[in-house]
Amino acid sequence: MSSKMQSSNNIAQARRTVQQLRIEANIERIKVSKASADLMHYCSEHAKYDPLLMGIPTSENPFKDKKPCTIL
Amino acid sequence: MGEMEQMKKEAEALKTQIEAARKAVGDTDMASAASGVAPAPRVQLKTRRTLKGHLAKIYAMHWSTDNNLSSLSSIGVFRLMVSASQDGKLLIWDSHSGNKVNAVPLKSSWVMTCAYAPSGNLVASGGLDNMCTVYNLKTPVIKTVKELDAHTGYLSCARFLSDTEILTSSGDTTCALWDLETGKQKTVFLNHVGDCMCLSLSPDMNTFVSGACDSLAKLWDIRDGQCKQTFQGHTSDINAISFYPSANAIITGSDDCTCKMYDLRADQEVISYQDAALNSGVTSLALSMSGRLIFAGYDDFNCNIWDSLKGEKVGVLSGHDNRVSCTGVPEDGMCVCTGSWDSFLKIWN
């Protein structure tokens, strides 16, 4: 690659980097306190539907048998 | 000043601006905010099934969705899953009985990923062959329906959006959206500077996140192909990534031995899951249905369970005799599956 091509590639790359940073800089951000509160709210609302968190009564556990699997 | 110099200056200024904007909203962190939340209960899960059948290291597994429940079992419905091993096979398992339902021989045994389409009609695999191969499970004999061949590096992850579209991540540093009818790439996602190792689709399927060996996680718009946000903080390869069920946060797992949560709307890391005693890389992760529990697989043969809000370790799944390479929680949240280099899959609840 000629050095002229290489330097114009570098400039194209630099332009893309700046373009990308502009996109990322311009987003709206909310406070971490609000984001955390929303996450905590989501977890507490959904906790009762989470079998691994709440535990599964044996009668409702589709995996309750500990039979070893059969190899076909 | 030359254009190059100008570009460099502007890039530095923008990076400073982003850091300042993050700091301005960084009024707390997740663990502090959750200090008043009751701790998650100590989680003690038992191995309910050990799935034996692969003859070599298992690299990936993926659960079928609620669209594909079958009523062949005595209990009413059962759920299928696909696993991939370097023995050169994909195996489809009935998780309830532990039986193998299907075996798909692979052209290339160097498989790194597998995926189940939401419909249950198709599965995909890929790896060091640089290709994503899609198979139809519903034809009388399992058929290869497409070989997606355009990546110039290994296929690290694949996820179906539907029977007509699939997303892939690759060691060539790109991700791609493919049209399964034409077999061509519709969109290529360019921005990572290291091998892409993992991806996760948002619940609404409009965006996805990727993790790479450049230690960055990126959020992408599927339709316009743009990277919208970049998340820093890890100090090594990101091997695993998942959207939080609320869709406003993501969890990552890395070779730096930590997992992290990044909030998308605050645009920053809000908590890190780490322990001084843990010095093995994270290979895989999955979330319980509410998102409260993170199941993270490590190189040290264990899967640690983290309280996602408080950052505390609340349990461990021990039982594998080699690295845990993949984990998955099905849509109904009824169990967690771990797959290992010891050639076994285990189902826990």
Side-chain angles (χ1 to χ4, degrees):
Chain A
M1 193 187 290
S2 75
S3 71
K4 216 178 196 171
M5 243 183 98
Q6 190 147 46
S7 71
S8 74
N9 274 350
N10 288 344
I11 292 202
Q13 174 78 304
R15 280 197 203 121
R16 278 195 295 270
T17 302
V18 167
Q19 174 73 319
Q20 180 59 35
L21 284 167
R22 280 189 195 139
I23 291 171
E24 294 183 16
N26 285 336
I27 64 166
E28 293 286 311
R29 294 172 180 82
I30 67 167
K31 285 197 192 295
V32 174
S33 53
K34 164 99 175 91
S36 304
D38 287 352
L39 266 163
M40 281 153 48
H41 181 77
Y42 183 91
C43 274
S44 74
E45 286 292 296
H46 288 84
K48 52 184 169 289
Y49 306 117
D50 187 339
L52 291 170
L53 190 61
M54 306 271 69
I56 303 168
T58 312
S59 56
E60 291 165 31
N61 188 349
F63 299 105
K64 68 173 180 285
D65 330 312
K66 263 207 253 183
K67 284 200 320 257
C69 69
T70 31
I71 299 171
L72 293 173
Chain B
M1 194 188 294
E3 191 182 353
M4 200 61 195
E5 271 305 299
Q6 247 179 311
M7 297 274 107
K8 279 189 186 163
K9 261 200 126 187
E10 189 173 353
E12 286 314 304
L14 285 164
K15 285 180 191 167
T16 305
Q17 188 189 323
I18 290 170
E19 275 324 294
R22 285 175 173 158
K23 250 192 144 178
V25 297
D27 55 347
T28 184
D29 65 272
M30 184 75 233
S32 307
S35 56
V37 174
R42 187 86 207 147
V43 182
Q44 286 172 310
L45 306 183
K46 293 197 167 74
T47 303
R48 301 294 175 184
R49 297 285 182 274
T50 297
L51 305 182
K52 303 180 194 195
H54 280 300
L55 304 171
K57 295 175 175 172
I58 291 170
Y59 274 78
M61 62 80 46
H62 195 214
W63 284 100
S64 180
T65 64
D66 282 348
N67 295 332
N68 188 38
L69 296 174
S70 175
S71 46
L72 290 181
S73 84
S74 58
I75 217 169
V77 287
F78 71 90
R79 190 174 293 273
L80 299 171
M81 44 176 263
V82 61
S83 61
S85 162
Q86 294 204 346
D87 63 7
K89 289 211 169 48
L90 293 185
L91 291 178
I92 315 288
W93 305 86
D94 157 8
S95 59
H96 176 230
S97 66
N99 291 333
K100 290 185 287 300
V101 172
N102 268 317
V104 185
L106 303 175
K107 258 192 195 169
S108 162
S109 64
W110 303 112
V111 65
M112 294 174 68
T113 186
C114 60
Y116 226 122
S119 65
N121 295 328
L122 308 172
V123 287
S125 68
L128 294 182
D129 58 354
N130 298 0
M131 291 199 310
C132 180
T133 307
V134 179
Y135 309 87
N136 188 333
L137 295 178
K138 299 296 169 83
T139 44
V141 176
I142 296 174
K143 269 174 50 179
T144 299
V145 292
K146 272 291 178 299
E147 282 176 336
L148 306 174
D149 191 1
H151 279 301
T152 55
Y154 57 83
L155 204 84
S156 52
C157 191
R159 285 294 178 256
F160 287 91
L161 280 78
S162 65
D163 280 4
T164 55
E165 286 183 312
I166 195 169
L167 260 178
T168 55
S169 62
S170 170
D172 67 10
T173 78
T174 74
C175 297
L177 175 70
W178 304 76
D179 179 328
L180 286 176
E181 285 164 338
T182 62
K184 301 276 179 245
Q185 289 179 331
K186 275 187 185 177
T187 313
V188 182
F189 302 91
L190 300 163
N191 207 250
H192 277 297
V193 296
D195 302 11
C196 291
M197 297 305 294
C198 51
L199 68 91
S200 175
L201 256 177
S202 66
D204 71 5
M205 299 220 235
N206 290 327
T207 60
F208 75 96
V209 286
S210 59
C213 292
D214 56 14
S215 71
L216 303 172
K218 287 179 180 284
L219 174 76
W220 307 85
D221 182 310
I222 292 184
R223 299 304 154 193
D224 72 20
Q226 279 205 333
C227 171
K228 300 297 191 190
Q229 285 173 259
T230 297
F231 302 97
Q232 305 151 308
H234 280 298
T235 54
S236 188
D237 306 355
I238 296 176
N239 297 316
I241 197 164
S242 179
F243 261 91
Y244 208 80
S246 66
N248 286 330
I250 62 172
I251 312 282
T252 52
S254 166
D255 272 349
D256 68 11
C257 314
T258 75
C259 293
K260 290 179 187 294
M261 178 194 287
Y262 295 93
D263 187 280
L264 301 183
R265 294 178 303 161
D267 187 42
Q268 59 192 276
E269 177 183 332
V270 296
I271 190 170
S272 188
Y273 309 96
Q274 58 192 82
D275 188 310
L278 275 175
N279 48 22
S280 301
V282 179
T283 61
S284 52
L285 65 89
L287 300 176
S288 73
M289 244 179 108
S290 65
R292 186 67 192 267
L293 302 175
I294 300 170
F295 298 92
Y298 290 73
D299 285 344
D300 70 0
F301 310 177
N302 289 327
C303 180
N304 289 312
I305 311 175
W306 297 91
D307 176 336
S308 66
L309 298 180
K310 296 174 87 74
E312 296 160 351
K313 211 173 93 162
V314 296
V316 66
L317 304 177
S318 295
H320 283 293
D321 295 323
N322 206 322
R323 176 185 291 198
V324 173
S325 55
C326 49
T327 49
V329 171
E331 246 178 302
D332 65 2
M334 288 296 275
C335 64
V336 54
C337 179
T338 53
S340 167
W341 280 12
D342 69 8
S343 81
F344 302 125
L345 296 143
K346 285 179 183 290
I347 296 183
W348 314 72
N349 70 11

